[in-house]
Amino acid sequence: MTTLITNIQELLQIRDSTVSKVSGAEMAILPSIKNAYLLIENNLISDFGLMENCPKINADITIDATGKVVLPTWCDSHTHIVYAGNRVQEFVDRINGLSYEEIANRGGGILNSAKKLNETSEEEIYEQSKLRLEEVMKQGTGAVEIKSGYGLTVDGELKMLRVIRKLAQNYPIKIKATFLGAHAFPIEFKENHSAYIDLIVNEMLPKIAQENLADYIDAFCETGYFSVDETERIMEAGKKYGLQAKIHVNQFNAIDGIAACVKHDALSVDHLEIVNDDDIEALKNSNTMPVALPSCSYFISIPYTPARKMLNAGLPLALATDFNPGTTPSGNMNFVVATACIKMKMTPEEAINAATINGAYAMGIEKTHGSITIGKKANLIITKPITSFYQLPYCFGTYLIDNVIIEGRIVE
């Protein structure tokens, strides 16, 4: 099947196939073509260029994009979309003055979600999760990483990862699965951390590997959760099963976790609300992608990742939603891009780079997703008529997407 998009006001994020990520000052550059066309064959981008050079072909579908901007779909490299129920009461508790840590200490937070998940059937978790996945697809997300981590038991973690696999099988969106058994310590292991890590390493990981249920491994490296040493043990165990690390780190404290992640060649380090000079030095000249989650900062009123400091130091940066029931119950990447501009002082060019090509890198799919490149997946956002792509973050509360194309087909 061929689809031809014509009269594109501006085609954003056109890249050579050699570009896998952009860093520092490069992030301010967003290559584009004005008055363009784009040709899709089956599920791949096969051609694009100036409208005056548009080939004369009889496409199966022709879309007139007059006045509209076309760009790659968002690549959301950090989510917890698979969960049961919600934590709406904790939302009210925070309004009434309780902190994230206080809520966690009284059995809320991750442990609350774990309790709900272990009480819910795999089929019901799938039914709840697919609605969230369908929602983010309509909002322009064409690739998503989904973590486990609300099971905290062998059966619970396997149940989550099987739901993630079923979503990947049933939907065209690219899904990467991350094993996050090290999300929190269950109550029964609160005073015996090593025993729970033994459970992760000796029981969970072999079963996950046997069923080929995960692409990556994660841990919540933070004061009160998993120490740097404990996180390193988990990263080392993951390597034995071919699982590269993507680590939660520096959400509330800087505890030298970033340097440890870089040492273990983590694909990404995520959150980074607190970043010091040593952290930035550790990330320089590494292959590890820093990932900011601004809608989490917005929702629970914690600092925003210091994007300007990091970009000025020459680092790359990706943006993701952190979609989860407790601290970011939204998977809307359009809001993430807007919030990065408004609160983190990223330019629209930087934010779009962070949410597309760098987001793809942060989930290991930069060769197939994240830019307008011949041979890459035909995953596209077609906006409504707008005067400039700057309107995407500027009109932060307005839905400006006309169509989303994933794997060459319009998302209904």
Side-chain angles (χ1 to χ4, degrees):
M1 189 178 81
T2 57
T3 301
L4 179 65
I5 308 173
T6 61
N7 302 311
I8 302 167
Q9 178 176 274
E10 189 166 11
L11 181 61
L12 296 181
Q13 191 58 295
I14 57 167
R15 296 280 180 185
D16 185 85
S17 61
T18 59
V19 177
S20 60
K21 63 179 179 180
V22 287
S23 307
E26 295 174 337
M27 288 193 65
I29 301 167
L30 188 64
S32 71
I33 301 174
K34 293 187 176 178
N35 193 23
Y37 74 92
L38 184 142
L39 180 64
I40 299 167
E41 293 191 46
N42 297 320
N43 65 343
L44 301 177
I45 297 168
S46 66
D47 193 19
F48 61 86
L50 289 168
M51 193 62 207
E52 62 193 55
N53 299 325
C54 183
K56 297 285 190 288
I57 63 166
N58 291 317
D60 297 303
I61 299 171
T62 300
I63 299 171
D64 184 353
T66 299
K68 301 173 182 180
V69 171
V70 174
L71 66 156
T73 51
W74 310 123
C75 296
D76 188 353
S77 67
H78 182 127
T79 82
H80 308 255
I81 284 175
V82 171
Y83 59 85
N86 61 60
R87 289 181 3 219
V88 68
Q89 183 56 49
E90 293 177 16
F91 169 65
V92 178
D93 290 340
R94 271 195 303 277
I95 292 170
N96 287 324
L98 288 181
S99 70
Y100 180 90
E101 292 89 343
E102 287 168 333
I103 290 168
N105 288 337
R106 67 180 201 176
I110 295 162
L111 296 182
N112 183 4
S113 286
K115 183 174 184 294
K116 286 188 174 78
L117 184 123
N118 283 300
E119 292 170 348
T120 306
S121 71
E122 188 171 317
E123 293 74 19
E124 177 58 26
I125 294 165
Y126 175 81
E127 291 300 319
Q128 292 182 28
S129 301
K130 77 174 189 179
L131 298 177
R132 300 178 199 115
L133 187 66
E134 290 167 1
E135 178 184 52
V136 302
M137 289 169 64
K138 290 171 185 171
Q139 292 170 340
T141 294
V144 65
E145 179 257 21
I146 307 176
K147 302 177 189 295
S148 67
Y150 292 130
L152 308 184
T153 62
V154 177
D155 290 344
E157 290 296 307
L158 289 170
K159 181 163 65 173
M160 289 190 75
L161 289 165
R162 288 178 187 133
V163 169
I164 296 169
R165 179 173 62 186
K166 187 175 178 182
L167 290 169
Q169 291 169 340
N170 292 345
Y171 287 88
I173 184 172
K174 181 68 173 178
I175 295 176
K176 287 287 193 172
T178 298
F179 168 50
L180 179 55
H183 202 186
F185 287 98
I187 292 170
E188 60 269 32
F189 292 100
K190 195 169 184 181
E191 305 303 325
N192 191 354
H193 288 192
S194 62
Y196 182 61
I197 296 172
D198 286 344
L199 185 70
I200 290 171
V201 172
N202 299 327
E203 292 194 45
M204 294 186 191
L205 265 173
K207 290 182 178 179
I208 288 163
Q210 186 178 8
E211 293 190 42
N212 195 26
L213 288 172
D215 302 295
Y216 302 109
I217 193 164
D218 195 352
F220 189 8
C221 182
E222 183 55 76
T223 302
Y225 291 85
F226 290 79
S227 70
V228 174
D229 288 345
E230 290 166 343
T231 301
E232 286 196 273
R233 187 180 168 203
I234 288 155
M235 288 192 283
E236 287 166 358
K239 282 181 195 173
K240 293 176 183 174
Y241 294 96
L243 303 181
Q244 192 176 8
K246 284 170 59 65
I247 303 294
H248 285 63
V249 65
N250 285 50
Q251 182 173 3
F252 303 111
N253 301 280
I255 56 174
D256 296 324
I258 289 177
C261 293
V262 170
K263 183 177 78 174
H264 288 275
D265 197 31
L267 178 59
S268 71
V269 284
D270 302 26
H271 270 294
L272 313 184
E273 288 87 350
I274 308 298
V275 177
N276 61 33
D277 292 343
D278 290 340
D279 296 323
I280 288 175
E281 285 302 314
L283 285 164
K284 283 183 180 178
N285 303 312
S286 78
N287 294 317
T288 301
M289 176 64 71
V291 180
L293 311 171
S295 48
C296 176
S297 298
Y298 171 86
F299 192 72
I300 63 171
S301 300
I302 59 175
Y304 289 86
T305 301
R308 288 262 56 89
K309 182 177 181 180
M310 295 168 73
L311 297 184
N312 290 344
L315 296 181
L317 189 63
L319 291 168
T321 63
D322 194 24
F323 192 176
N324 75 81
T327 61
T328 324
S330 167
N332 191 335
M333 280 292 287
N334 305 286
F335 179 74
V336 167
V337 168
T339 305
C341 295
I342 296 162
K343 294 296 186 182
M344 293 163 58
K345 303 304 178 189
M346 295 178 74
T347 66
E349 292 87 348
E350 289 168 340
I352 291 171
N353 274 321
T356 55
I357 189 70
N358 283 4
Y361 180 95
M363 52 197 294
I365 58 168
E366 70 279 2
K367 287 184 172 63
T368 54
H369 293 73
S371 65
I372 303 298
T373 303
I374 291 173
K376 282 195 176 185
K377 295 292 186 182
N379 284 15
L380 308 167
I381 293 170
I382 304 174
T383 71
K384 294 177 180 178
I386 55 178
T387 58
S388 162
F389 69 87
Y390 286 179
Q391 279 183 256
L392 294 173
Y394 169 72
C395 299
F396 70 93
T398 304
Y399 186 71
L400 293 175
I401 295 174
D402 195 14
N403 283 306
V404 178
I405 294 174
I406 296 178
E407 295 275 338
R409 293 183 179 274
I410 294 174
V411 175
E412 299 297 338

